[in-house]
Amino acid sequence: MTDRTHAIVLRVYPYSRTSHVVIWLSPALGRMVTLVKGALRPKSRFLGQYDLFYTCELVYYTRERNGIHILKECSPINYRPGLRDRWRSAMTASYAAELANRTSVPGPDHQGLFALTGHLLDHLNTNPPTAALVSWFEIRWMGQLGWAPQLTGCTACNKGLTGQTNAWFNPAWGGLKCPDCAGHSNSTDTWQLTPDLLAILRSWQDTPHPDTPAKTFCHPTQVLALQAFLGSILDYHLDLQTASRSMVMDLLKPDRTRRTEQPCVAP
Ligand SMILES: [Zn+2]
């Protein structure tokens, strides 16, 4: 039996002397794996038809038993050539692909993850990455996986927390707590979030396209706080850090000489 789908290439690695295993993100199946028989032969019909970060149209033989489908036909529909020239964009795309590979599971209804990844890669194809772009992607990704922190009210007493007061967050709570309910937690996993950070995060949670978030100017202290906050949620759910995230955070490290500028209070 054959099936057809669009999918984004997340990983390609060799299998035997002449074949490839390709890991894809598809809207219908989520993370899916195909064997590409004869991919490395000189006259293979698959030569040039797929590569990292391409979106392709696939026809494949379905294999339920081991979950590795057999690729029958493949046609690229979005090459994203800018990711071959822009190494900073390529590094950021690699982090997104690793996150997708590790957190999206096989199964139906991954339209949101597929669209989000496509939007990010399209943006990186023609624009350099920014720290704000990566943080926007992470908070949107968490929303698609059901990990999104609840950022509008106290998870214990339901008191609204959208005013100009600080709130506390712990990944295990799944959201914020007001000062009264947070008590005097000394846990290293508990974060104090200021109103400006909460305003940025709430705005990004509701923004499906990267163009505006990518241009958000964040003060270096805000960048570092957002990266640490989002990293704590990823650590909690993934239980280990991704090497590519550390590399991207280092690449997009804020210029500390700009600390004298005023932080923005809203995106
Ligand atoms: Zn409360």
Side-chain angles (χ1 to χ4, degrees):
M1 176 182 168
T2 60
D3 210 340
R4 180 186 297 266
T5 187
H6 288 180
I8 296 170
V9 180
L10 302 179
R11 282 194 69 186
V12 179
Y13 55 91
Y15 180 82
S16 76
R17 289 188 176 180
T18 59
S19 300
H20 272 160
V21 167
V22 182
I23 300 177
W24 310 82
L25 180 65
S26 77
L29 296 178
R31 180 185 182 276
M32 61 178 287
V33 183
T34 62
L35 177 63
V36 190
K37 292 182 177 177
L40 298 174
R41 294 189 192 282
K43 294 184 179 178
S44 170
R45 66 182 184 280
F46 295 111
L47 284 177
Q49 301 303 298
Y50 61 85
D51 203 347
L52 277 177
F53 318 131
Y54 281 21
T55 296
C56 301
E57 182 174 16
L58 320 179
V59 178
Y60 58 96
Y61 297 105
T62 57
R63 294 287 186 272
E64 301 297 337
R65 196 167 58 186
N66 60 9
I68 301 179
H69 309 294
I70 309 296
L71 195 64
K72 180 173 183 282
E73 299 170 17
C74 179
S75 303
I77 56 178
N78 188 342
Y79 295 89
R80 302 188 176 96
L83 295 175
R84 270 69 195 162
D85 301 327
R86 301 166 178 268
W87 67 270
R88 288 181 175 81
S89 289
M91 272 186 69
T92 307
S94 295
Y95 166 52
E98 184 181 0
L99 195 61
N101 184 34
R102 293 186 44 185
T103 61
S104 62
V105 295
D109 195 14
H110 286 72
Q111 183 64 50
L113 290 181
F114 178 78
L116 175 59
T117 305
H119 290 327
L120 178 77
L121 296 179
D122 287 342
H123 183 87
L124 291 170
N125 183 43
T126 52
N127 299 277
T130 63
L133 174 74
V134 175
S135 293
W136 164 83
F137 176 74
E138 289 180 335
I139 194 84
R140 292 287 301 176
W141 188 266
M142 292 171 192
Q144 293 294 331
L145 293 178
W147 303 349
Q150 198 276 94
L151 298 175
T152 55
C154 174
T155 53
C157 70
N158 295 323
K159 177 181 172 184
L161 291 171
T162 55
Q164 293 299 310
T165 56
N166 291 351
W168 275 255
F169 175 83
N170 186 309
W173 301 341
L176 303 176
K177 282 189 179 179
C178 67
D180 293 338
C181 295
H184 300 285
S185 172
N186 291 321
S187 168
T188 54
D189 294 331
T190 300
W191 300 81
Q192 186 175 182
L193 293 171
T194 52
D196 56 302
L197 294 177
L198 289 168
I200 292 169
L201 289 164
R202 288 188 200 108
S203 169
W204 287 348
Q205 278 186 326
D206 294 332
T207 307
H209 291 276
D211 294 354
T212 301
K215 294 173 186 166
T216 306
F217 169 71
C218 295
H219 188 270
T221 55
Q222 291 175 319
V223 170
L224 294 173
L226 289 166
Q227 290 175 347
F229 165 72
L230 294 167
S232 74
I233 302 175
L234 290 169
D235 288 349
Y236 179 77
H237 288 284
L238 291 176
D239 204 24
L240 71 162
Q241 294 193 338
T242 58
S244 58
R245 184 178 196 269
S246 302
M247 292 169 68
V248 168
M249 296 299 116
D250 198 46
L251 174 74
L252 303 177
K253 198 160 47 181
D255 181 356
R256 291 164 190 269
T257 62
R258 300 175 72 179
R259 279 180 184 278
T260 52
E261 296 178 18
Q262 290 299 309
C264 63
V265 294

